[in-house]
Amino acid sequence: MKYLDEFSNPELARRLLERIRSATSRRWAIMEVCGGQTHSIIRHGIDQLLPDRIEMIHGPGCPVCVTPLEVIDKALEIAAQPGVIFCSFGDMLRVPGSHKDLFRIKSEGGDVRVVYSPLDALQVAKANPDRQVVFFGIGFETTAPANAMTVYQAKRLGIPNFSLLVSHVLVPPAIAAIMESPDCRVQAFLAAGHVCTVMGTGEYPPLAEKYRVPMVVTGFEPLDILEGIRRTVEQLEAGRHEVENAYPRAVAAEGNPAAKAMLEDVFEVTDRAWRGIGVIPRSGWRLSDEYREYDAEHRFRVGDLHTAESSVCRSGEVLQGLIKPHECSAFGTLCTPRNPLGATMVSSEGACAAYYLYRRLDLPAEVAHA
Ligand code: SF4
């Protein structure tokens, strides 16, 4: 299939691996920020094909994984209310809150619906004017434009029974937080190609300069990732710390101006808590004053919830690249995709789920052969 097969060509992959091997003279630790890249790296065994001296550290770029527990609990509280239709992408339904998940709310009679676009939720609102319809708007800069467009349309079309439960997060402040951590081992970044498709590359040169780390904008297919790693290693070996675009078929330096204008109109920057990591200043978006009436938190006045994380889950350390998933004692035993204790085991972009699905030999023998 065009655009998939041609970016998975084994011969080209071998050549790129050889170039990486011959360029590598010492140990390097490179973080792929995006969960989609983590999934691709583990699925295709790229980390196992790389020279031993290159370690891939999996970053916090899985939107489902970093949505804070408090927001999940608010979603559960809103979804359980009579008269509410709660719409979400499917992967949020199994994310554990403090005591239950959205599937449980649905089984208890809540009207929880899976949609494929926030605009579908707006249609549900139009068709049910006597009900309150809420869309769970989470994710990075990638998913935010569609959510912004939906709120913009709700206001323009005068659909008062629609609202958005917002928990958007931003990549550049997360990179800064990772680099400021005293335990940080990251020496270079593969920047997330789809985020840069929206936002462009302009936010990254100051970060590369401040922290003296190469940043290579990278795609998601195996050859994309190998090319991103090759360019990163060549910069590291040469002592350079520049921003390079290895994904020019999707990313322009200025990003998508129409999407950025919509984001600027509908959202404003705010401090945001990241699940397992904590509050990162100015690392998220919320609805701006002009659209505040469409904010579900404002409309339903959910607040002051007492949250309780699993005591065994180490997803915060996984998300910061401090441990690999199989180093958590619950991995593959107490915690599996069917019975996840943490969000990193739920989403297909979560590192724990990727290790479970593609790296079964790391499981205890009785589980791996079950
Ligand atoms: S394996 Fe499960 S319990 Fe352990 S860190 Fe991952 S999500 Fe949390």
Side-chain angles (χ1 to χ4, degrees), residues 277-316:
I277 296 176
V279 175
I280 301 177
R282 298 182 61 75
S283 68
W285 274 319
R286 67 179 176 194
L287 290 169
S288 64
D289 282 346
E290 198 188 330
Y291 294 90
R292 190 62 43 83
E293 63 193 293
Y294 293 93
D295 186 335
E297 284 194 57
H298 185 70
R299 186 170 297 183
F300 291 91
R301 303 222 171 270
V302 278
D304 298 331
L305 296 176
H306 176 71
T307 58
E309 284 279 11
S310 156
S311 57
V312 293
C313 178
R314 299 178 68 188
S315 60

Side-chain angles (χ1 to χ4, degrees), residues 94-229:
R94 277 188 311 117
V95 178
S98 292
H99 305 294
K100 47 179 83 169
D101 57 25
L102 283 166
F103 266 129
R104 174 70 74 85
I105 297 289
K106 191 172 169 64
S107 72
E108 291 171 353
D111 193 345
V112 178
R113 302 186 189 182
V114 172
V115 294
Y116 295 96
S117 156
L119 289 168
D120 292 346
L122 195 60
Q123 290 303 321
V124 174
K126 255 172 119 175
N128 295 273
D130 54 336
R131 310 269 303 272
Q132 285 291 326
V133 176
V134 182
F135 180 72
F136 202 177
I138 67 140
F140 286 85
E141 294 92 327
T142 337
T143 51
N147 291 338
M149 169 59 83
T150 306
V151 174
Y152 172 83
Q153 290 285 0
K155 189 175 175 79
R156 196 177 67 88
L157 298 172
I159 303 177
N161 61 322
F162 175 82
S163 59
L164 191 69
L165 181 59
V166 193
S167 187
H168 279 303
V169 282
L170 305 171
V171 167
I175 287 179
I178 288 164
M179 292 310 299
E180 297 284 345
S181 162
D183 300 319
C184 177
R185 296 186 296 117
V186 178
Q187 295 165 295
F189 288 91
L190 302 186
H194 51 5
V195 168
C196 296
T197 303
V198 175
M199 301 302 291
T201 56
E203 295 172 284
Y204 296 94
L207 290 169
E209 187 56 40
K210 179 173 181 183
Y211 298 109
R212 306 184 71 77
V213 285
M215 294 183 162
V216 178
V217 179
T218 301
F220 301 87
E221 299 304 323
L223 294 188
D224 290 323
I225 288 171
L226 287 170
E227 173 65 3
I229 294 170

Side-chain angles (χ1 to χ4, degrees), residues 1-9 221 223-224 249:
M1 188 189 297
K2 190 169 167 61
Y3 296 127
L4 287 182
D5 292 349
E6 63 186 302
F7 290 100
S8 307
N9 182 301
E221 299 304 323
L223 294 188
D224 290 323
R249 71 181 186 280

Side-chain angles (χ1 to χ4, degrees), residues 62-120:
C62 158
V64 172
C65 309
V66 298
T67 300
L69 185 59
E70 190 186 357
V71 175
I72 305 288
D73 283 352
K74 285 178 180 174
L76 298 170
E77 190 169 313
I78 293 169
Q81 294 191 17
V84 167
I85 302 174
F86 193 89
C87 299
S88 171
F89 293 140
D91 49 4
M92 292 307 290
L93 268 62
R94 277 188 311 117
V95 178
S98 292
H99 305 294
K100 47 179 83 169
D101 57 25
L102 283 166
F103 266 129
R104 174 70 74 85
I105 297 289
K106 191 172 169 64
S107 72
E108 291 171 353
D111 193 345
V112 178
R113 302 186 189 182
V114 172
V115 294
Y116 295 96
S117 156
L119 289 168
D120 292 346

Side-chain angles (χ1 to χ4, degrees), residues 310 312-318 323-332 334-336 339-346 351-353:
S310 156
V312 293
C313 178
R314 299 178 68 188
S315 60
E317 292 162 88
V318 172
I323 63 165
K324 296 281 193 273
H326 57 282
E327 293 173 59
C328 169
S329 62
F331 178 81
L334 290 175
C335 181
T336 65
N339 182 28
L341 293 182
T344 43
M345 188 57 97
V346 174
C352 297

